Structures are given as C-alpha cells and as structure tokens.
Amino acid sequence: MSTLLDTLNPEQRAAVTLPHESALILAGAGSGKTRVLTTRIAWLIQTGQVSPHGILAVTFTNKAAKEMLTRISAMLPPSTSLRAGANPRGMWVGTFHGLANRLLRTHWREAGLPQSFQILDSADQLSAIKRLMKALNVDTEKYEPKKLQWFINGNKEAGRRARDADAYDDYSMRLAELYEAYDAQCQREGVADFPELLLRSYELLYRNEPLRQHYQDRFKHILIDEFQDTNTLQYRWLKLFAGPHTVLFAVGDDDQSIYAFRGANTANMAEFEREFAHGNVIKLEQNYRSHGNILTAANTLISQNAHRLGKNLWTAEGEGEPIRVFEAYSDQDEASFVVDEAKALNREGVSFSDMALLYRSNAQSRVLEHALFSAGVAYRVYGGLRFFERQEIKHALAYLRLMTHPEDDGAFLRVVNFPARGIGARTLEQLADTAARSGSSLWQAACTGSGKVAGFAKLIEDIKQATTGLTLAETIDHAIEASGLADYYRADKDGADRLENLNELVNAATLFSEESEDNTLDAFLAHAALEAGEHQAGAGQDALQLMTVHAAKGLEFHTVFITGLEESLFPHEQSAHEENGLEEERRLMYVAITRARRRLYLTHAQSRMLHGQVRYGIPSRFLAELPEQVLLHLNRRAEPSYRSVSEPAPRATPANDTGYRVGQSVAHAKFGTGIIIDFEGRGADARVQVKFRDAGTKWLALAYAKLSPA
DNA sequence: GCCTTTTATTTTTTT
DNA sequence: AATAAAAGGC
C-alpha cells in the first residue's frame, strides 16, 4: 500500500488519499496529474473503499483512456489486472463519447434508438445536412450547410434541442427549424452524430428515474481528467451520475483549456468548486517534467492571459538548456533545419520517438514529412488524414452499415452507385420520391422497386446471406470483394494504396475481435467512428513524432520542435475573429512549450507555401512574449544556411533601384514593423505592399513612406 | 447515365 | 496544392 504513495509529494499524496468528499485538483502541466488520478483509483481499490465495479473514470481522448487503464493495471496486483479495452472487473473507463455510446447500446430501447443505430462522424453529419437541405429546397447560399452544422452542434453541446435553441431573428429561427428537421431525419434513419450521443444519453438518464438511480447507486467514485475541457452538456451529464453519496474527483488545468471551439466551458471549474468541492481544492504546482528555462518561458507567456484562476509552476531542477530560436528562410529551410537537428540529437543518444515535431494545423505536416522522408528519418504522423476517414474505408464501412442497418440513407447513397452500376441522379430522385411518399427509407423503397435499384438491394442481401456465421474479418473481406470495391480499385491505376488500406481494414477487424469482448459488426462500426485516428500503421518503431499541438496535449518528450511560429499561423488568423481567441491560442502555445522536458526549439520561416502560393509571414507575437534571457537565437542572418539539395537556390529578387526586396523586414514611423510581401513599379513610382505586425497590410509608395530596414 | 475536364472553393484545432 | 462541385462531351 505505502509503496503506492511513497514517491508522491505532499500535495499529490493529499489528493490521492482525500477522504470521502468531492474535490477539485488544479494540476499544472507536468505536475503528475495523470499519476495522481490513476494512483487514486488504485488506492481506492487497494484500501477496499470501493470495488472496480463502482468506479467511473472519464477522459477526452481514447489515448488517455488507454493510458489510464495501462497505468492502473500496472499498480494493482495481477489478480485485479484489467485488460486494455476489456474490463473484467467492471470499471468504466473511457471517453465521454465512448461511455455515452456504451450506455445507449445497453439501453437502446429506452433511449428510443434502434439496436443497430449508427454513429455519424463530422463528415457524415455534414453530408446528411446537405442531403436534408436539398430535400427541403433550402437556399444553401443563404444557409450554409457548415453554418447549420455549427448551429446544431453548438446547441446540442449546450444541452438544447431545436425548441430550446437560441433563435432571436428570422435567420436563426430558420436554423432552428432546420435543426428540428435534421433531428427528425436522424431519428428516421436511426443514426446519431457525436453530440447526439451525449445529449441522448443525458436525456435518457434525466427522464428515466430507475435507470438514473441504478447508475447513481453503482458508481461510488467518479473521476474526470482534463476537466477544463468539459462543455455544458458534459458537465450536466456527469451530474446525473452523481447521487447524494457519490464522490467526484475532477482534475484540470484552466491554462490548458484549448477546446473552447467545440464548446468547452472553463467556467465549469468554478461551478464544480461551488457545487461539489466546497473549497476542497488542491493545487499541484511542482513540475516534474521540464527544466527551469522551459518553465520560465511557459510561465511568462501564460501570465499574459487575463482570464486565469492563477497558478505558477516551479521546478526543483536546474535551468537546463536555453530555448533555441531559429529563423528559417522558407518552410523548406525550416524543415531541413529540424531534420538536421533531430539527426544530430539522435546521434547523441536521444531516440527519435522521444522527439516531437509540433505544428498548429495539419496542413503544415506535408513539407516536414517530405524533408524527413528524403533524409530517411523514420517518422509517425498522428491525426491528419485519419485511417477511418479515407474514402475507400468509408465506402467499405457504408456497405457494412447497410448490412446491419439498412435504414441508413447516408450509407445507401454513398455506395448505391459506387462502383458504378448505372444508377444515376434521375433514378435516385425517383427513389427518394417513392420513399418520401411512403415515409420509408431508401432501402425499403429499393426493395419494393425493380430494375437496377432492386438489384443493388439484392446484392446487399446476398452479402449478408453469404457472411452469416463468418468471423468479423471474413465478413468484411467478403463484403469488400462482393461489393465490387476490390475490383474497382484493382482496375484503377492509382488504386494500389487504397487496396492496401482495405486490406488493412480487414486486419483492423481481426485485431478488434481479439481485443474486444464484443466483436459484433455493430461494435466494430462504432469503434471505427469513435476511434477514427487510433489506428495507425508503423507503431513500435523508433520514429520521430509528428502531430498538431492539440494532439500533443497530455504527452511529453525529451525534445520538442514548435514550428511555424508566424503571425496568422500561430496564433491562427481565424482566432482574431473569435472572442478570447487570442487567449486560447496563447494557452495552446503554453501547452506546446510545456511538452518539452529538456530541449525546446522554436522555429519560424520568412516565407511559406500557403494556399498554393508563397506567403511572407512575420514572427509570431508569442516569440516576443518570451523572456529574452532564456532564449538562444541560432541565427540572425539574411541567407539561408540550411537548404535541401533538391531545392533550387532562392530566386534572386528582380534587381531594382530601391534597395528593398520582397520578404524583407521594414519599419514604418506610424505603422511599426512589418514585412514586404509584394512589389510594384520602379524608381519614383515604386510601391510596396507591407504586412505590418499590428497595422494590417498596406500598399505604400516608397517615395513618400519613410521606410527603414528593420 | 457515365466520365472527363473545368471551375470554384477552401484551410484550425477533435470526439 | 488539393479537393469538391459543376459543366460539358460521349
């Protein structure tokens, strides 16, 4: 027992062994947050205060859930061991969405869903919305499908159905109407989008007293990780599980709240303190991860946010190395710098898997990947194009969905004519009419019809017949062949990759059957929707880790490269239009910095390929917000020293008599500093377009504007 | 009705 | 740059 607690500091120990009352743990980055959470679970079980059956632990990502299970089972004696994925002792550990799904699968009847209801991911949801708008003849110029999706999800995440939605003018009232129609369509087709999983299970427990009583009695302890990321609905969801005797243990860090864009509400922390913790708040401020300079940088940066609960991390470690700042000539130059440094570090003994290459948005990984590939450095990309979101996989999944749940019109439309079987727009219109008139699904209309459409229905039926009794993997394999998907991609000259991915899907199914206790097709389809990014080939190898800053939360590395530190990229220009957008970007930067244990690189490029053209950027304001004494500027030079061999020397700027060139930093008496992004005319007529750090982008006549090189 | 070419649009972050 | 929607030819 004591061994569990031996290595904890006093605050951590206090948190782990808190008596039987709810508490809020404010845990800074690297303060042992996950450790405290998992140790508390192990401690509760070992001291016999609760059986695993009575524990509910909620996380946000699948990665975190897996990590938690692994750590808990390592702390408990083998007899109590918990297989990853399965939970023989009945502990509930998972993401909000995963647990909501579990609840709805168990109580589908009470929740008013078909047993085989399907889950729509964001892309599925958007196409369902487009389909709806088309059927209702909505002007998609005036009402953009994306806007409607945003409206629906925003309302659901706030716990509001269409009738309660914020509607104050004609426009939003129309949106609310469409929201209602969308929900009706989903209900008709027996599908649920992500926020629906939560809202539906919330309503289930809210309305069904015996059921609520059952779960409130069952779960004695509820533990929540990353509490700052909960949205209004998730918080209310949690509260339904909490009976009068339930102990809630919430761990969070307001400085790491980076999901406001999907409804996360940091006010939940204050609310929780008032409603449950009653001043029972423990701060974990000792950081065990990073050296001093890295922490100083992080603290200084985050202190510039106005909205904070307040907290300052400290470390017992020394200052460590300075933070290295590198200004690259171009994005390619930046990439080769990173590759060179990573290789050098690797030679010094740091494994590639202990280095992370972070960026603000997924699109930035391309150039980096290219440089790594050319240099022969193994790397692994997290997120980005997710496996289960590839079109060939989506097609295959659509066939599988039709087999188990034929009312899924979205799946039907996706593959009814893919591969092509002579069923065109005209035919489908007629089919949709028939279906609408009889209030049935496209599938039912197809079955009663004749010709090619009926042939398609028969094809699905045949596949279903032929696969009864087969294993999950065999079923999927057969469906891929019989549907004609495999042949289609075999005939396609660019189809080799896609064929391979389809093969990989069969492998994923095999793996899933081995690991999961429920190996039905429905369970696999839910898994595909909920864990779209978890399946990635190439694990286990010593590879450099590439991911967005968002994806890096909760992880740590010996060395971290933060790339693309330019205005409008990081902070992202979109954030300027959002309320408190800049503060969220700063928290994001804070998260990025605090991922590093020993060494941190911050890089930015003068020019970058963006939207298909070269753009000139100015250094991110976040660089200026860091204390100069912890920084080491690796270069301050005009010429690139790092350039890949394949890349041609930078184009010489056309000779002109002005002494200025595109890409150059300049200072203006009134507008401050900026960078020249375009040039026009010569001599006395010469004008330059300058992107200023604070004053926006302006055209200036060189003869009048008093510019000076900066 | 199918398939290729052109045109437009888009790009934040995730369950 | 890359992809989706639209248009045009077969």
Side-chain angles (χ1 to χ4, degrees):
Chain A
M1 183 74 37
S2 57
T3 51
L4 265 183
L5 310 174
D6 273 352
T7 53
L8 300 176
N9 71 28
E11 291 78 27
Q12 290 175 330
R13 193 171 310 165
V16 166
T17 60
L18 262 175
H20 205 76
E21 8 179 286
S22 296
L24 175 65
I25 313 299
L26 277 176
S31 63
K33 171 173 62 75
T34 312
R35 181 135 178 261
V36 165
L37 202 74
T38 49
T39 312
R40 174 155 174 93
I41 294 175
W43 180 78
L44 285 170
I45 295 173
Q46 273 201 0
T47 51
Q49 297 183 50
V50 65
S51 82
H53 189 78
I55 286 181
L56 173 65
V58 195
T59 64
F60 275 83
T61 64
N62 298 299
K63 215 190 286 176
K66 267 183 201 146
E67 168 88 8
M68 196 177 285
L69 272 175
T70 316
R71 290 217 209 172
I72 296 170
S73 44
M75 278 185 252
L76 293 174
S79 61
T80 359
S81 86
L82 312 148
R83 270 190 301 143
N87 246 318
R89 292 308 203 85
M91 191 189 312
W92 276 33
V93 180
T95 64
F96 277 104
H97 293 87
L99 295 170
N101 178 52
R102 181 170 184 168
L103 215 58
L104 293 175
R105 295 281 166 198
T106 314
H107 307 289
W108 53 274
R109 217 187 297 269
E110 294 90 328
L113 285 168
Q115 186 170 18
S116 62
F117 75 89
Q118 299 296 307
I119 300 169
L120 303 184
D121 67 17
S122 305
D124 294 335
Q125 184 189 29
L126 187 60
S127 67
I129 286 172
K130 284 180 182 164
R131 188 153 47 82
L132 174 84
M133 294 177 88
K134 201 165 189 177
L136 296 179
N137 275 321
V138 180
D139 179 6
T140 46
E141 300 274 293
K142 193 168 169 206
Y143 299 93
E144 291 168 48
K146 279 231 174 98
K147 290 263 171 61
L148 179 56
Q149 183 177 30
W150 180 254
F151 178 86
I152 291 172
N153 289 349
N155 275 295
K156 284 191 181 180
E157 275 156 5
R160 291 190 294 261
R161 287 288 176 192
R163 53 159 79 199
D164 312 311
D166 271 338
Y168 35 85
D169 55 13
D170 286 355
Y171 186 81
S172 48
M173 274 159 71
R174 181 70 176 136
L175 285 181
E177 268 173 44
L178 292 169
Y179 174 10
E180 184 143 37
Y182 166 79
D183 263 1
Q185 173 178 291
C186 289
Q187 186 62 32
R188 204 163 53 236
E189 296 173 6
V191 295
D193 55 49
F194 283 142
E196 181 71 25
L197 292 176
L198 281 165
L199 185 52
R200 188 65 75 105
S201 53
Y202 168 81
E203 290 169 344
L204 169 69
L205 286 190
Y206 183 81
R207 291 177 188 153
N208 193 324
E209 223 242 304
L211 211 56
R212 187 168 72 240
Q213 202 66 52
H214 168 78
Y215 283 105
Q216 289 189 354
D217 287 344
R218 170 174 174 171
F219 295 119
K220 316 280 190 252
H221 286 268
I222 300 178
L223 303 95
I224 314 110
D225 196 9
E226 309 277 16
F227 189 73
Q228 75 282 355
D229 287 332
T230 50
N231 62 37
T232 305
L233 178 58
Q234 285 163 335
Y235 184 40
R236 280 163 59 178
W237 191 90
L238 282 170
K239 285 203 275 189
L240 278 188
F241 280 93
H245 306 295
T246 314
V247 179
L248 284 91
F249 189 83
V251 182
D253 177 5
D254 57 311
D255 289 333
Q256 291 189 70
S257 161
I258 54 175
Y259 285 107
F261 71 93
R262 68 169 195 213
N265 180 11
T266 37
N268 284 346
M269 297 185 83
E271 190 88 337
F272 180 84
E273 188 182 344
R274 201 170 50 76
E275 285 187 273
F276 291 96
H278 308 304
N280 218 352
V281 180
I282 295 179
K283 284 188 186 182
L284 302 181
E285 296 183 296
Q286 182 174 2
N287 175 296
Y288 293 94
R289 181 184 294 155
S290 312
H291 274 168
N293 283 336
I294 294 171
L295 223 47
T296 303
N299 281 335
T300 310
L301 181 91
I302 201 65
S303 70
Q304 294 170 68
N305 268 1
H307 305 103
R308 296 182 68 208
L309 294 178
K311 178 167 47 43
N312 222 16
L313 287 176
W314 61 277
T315 177
E317 304 270 355
E319 288 181 355
E321 299 180 23
I323 292 161
R324 292 164 165 82
V325 180
F326 179 77
E327 173 172 28
Y329 174 79
S330 66
D331 47 354
Q332 300 184 21
D333 186 27
E334 178 185 51
S336 25
F337 168 76
V338 170
V339 172
D340 289 347
E341 290 292 317
K343 280 167 86 174
L345 270 168
N346 182 246
R347 279 193 297 273
E348 289 168 23
V350 184
S351 67
F352 281 118
S353 58
D354 210 4
M355 301 182 216
L357 190 35
L358 307 184
Y359 35 80
R360 176 64 179 80
S361 59
N362 281 307
Q364 288 164 250
S365 76
R366 231 185 178 74
V367 180
L368 299 165
E369 284 184 67
H370 182 79
L372 287 164
F373 185 80
S374 311
V377 175
Y379 64 91
R380 187 175 167 197
V381 190
Y382 291 82
L385 299 174
R386 293 144 163 264
F387 180 74
F388 285 109
E389 287 169 5
R390 291 165 198 270
Q391 61 147 322
E392 63 275 20
I393 302 300
K394 282 252 167 190
H395 283 137
L397 293 178
Y399 278 103
L400 298 170
R401 278 158 76 148
L402 281 179
M403 288 162 60
T404 168
H405 185 76
E407 289 78 24
D408 189 339
D409 283 359
F412 184 94
L413 287 170
R414 180 170 197 107
V415 291
V416 64
N417 200 32
F418 192 95
R421 8 183 112 80
I423 303 172
R426 204 67 242 286
T427 316
L428 288 177
E429 235 167 72
Q430 287 165 355
L431 191 67
D433 270 356
T434 319
R437 264 198 304 279
S438 61
S440 65
S441 65
L442 292 173
W443 168 265
Q444 282 167 317
C447 287
T448 54
S450 58
K452 291 171 178 169
V453 185
F456 174 71
K458 177 143 192 321
L459 172 72
I460 302 290
E461 276 300 337
D462 286 349
I463 298 176
K464 217 167 137 183
Q465 289 289 321
T467 53
T468 41
L470 297 186
T471 67
L472 185 58
E474 286 165 345
T475 301
I476 296 176
D477 189 46
H478 179 84
I480 291 170
E481 284 297 334
S483 64
L485 272 182
D487 281 333
Y488 177 88
Y489 287 120
R490 267 194 281 268
D492 186 0
K493 61 179 178 346
D494 301 322
D497 279 356
R498 300 193 188 278
L499 265 178
E500 214 168 282
N501 286 332
L502 287 173
N503 241 327
E504 197 53 41
L505 180 66
V506 179
N507 292 339
T510 311
L511 202 69
F512 179 78
S513 311
E514 283 167 10
E515 284 185 351
S516 168
E517 64 225 87
D518 181 4
N519 59 2
T520 59
L521 184 52
D522 277 328
F524 180 69
L525 289 170
H527 163 85
L530 291 170
E531 298 191 28
E534 292 307 294
H535 178 93
Q536 280 263 357
Q541 210 188 351
D542 180 31
L544 192 60
Q545 312 281 301
L546 271 68
M547 64 194 88
T548 63
V549 180
H550 281 90
K553 188 158 78 139
L555 306 176
E556 61 172 63
F557 304 89
H558 174 280
T559 295
V560 169
F561 296 89
I562 307 175
T563 65
L565 282 167
E566 293 132 49
E567 283 296 301
S568 85
L569 204 60
F570 198 176
H572 198 277
E573 59 185 338
Q574 208 71 25
S575 68
H577 314 138
E578 283 155 25
E579 209 181 322
N580 297 324
L582 187 63
E583 292 218 344
E584 174 139 324
E585 293 288 309
R586 196 175 279 116
R587 288 193 294 269
L588 200 50
M589 182 67 184
Y590 175 78
V591 168
I593 292 175
T594 51
R595 297 310 95 196
R597 287 203 302 270
R598 295 292 172 259
R599 190 181 279 218
L600 177 63
Y601 289 91
L602 309 175
T603 67
H604 62 104
Q606 293 173 7
S607 72
R608 179 179 300 277
M609 206 58 157
L610 217 64
H611 311 164
Q613 53 187 335
V614 179
R615 301 267 214 102
Y616 295 88
I618 51 181
S620 168
R621 70 190 73 192
F622 296 149
L623 286 167
E625 292 177 3
L626 300 178
E628 198 56 41
Q629 72 270 15
V630 303
L631 304 182
L632 171 65
H633 294 276
L634 293 182
N635 65 324
R636 272 286 153 84
R637 57 191 166 60
E639 283 304 302
S641 61
Y642 292 90
R643 196 183 309 131
S644 68
V645 195
S646 58
E647 184 199 356
R651 198 161 23 89
T653 322
N656 60 57
D657 43 14
T658 60
Y660 290 96
R661 60 180 172 81
V662 170
Q664 184 177 359
S665 299
V666 291
H668 183 275
K670 190 160 148 216
F671 301 134
T673 57
I675 195 155
I676 299 179
I677 59 175
D678 205 354
F679 219 95
E680 192 180 272
R682 352 195 93 226
D685 298 328
R687 301 197 316 139
V688 289
Q689 192 180 24
V690 183
K691 187 167 165 189
F692 290 103
R693 160 171 299 217
D694 304 312
T697 304
K698 304 205 186 308
W699 277 102
L700 302 168
L702 270 181
Y704 300 104
K706 292 197 174 54
L707 287 178
S708 57

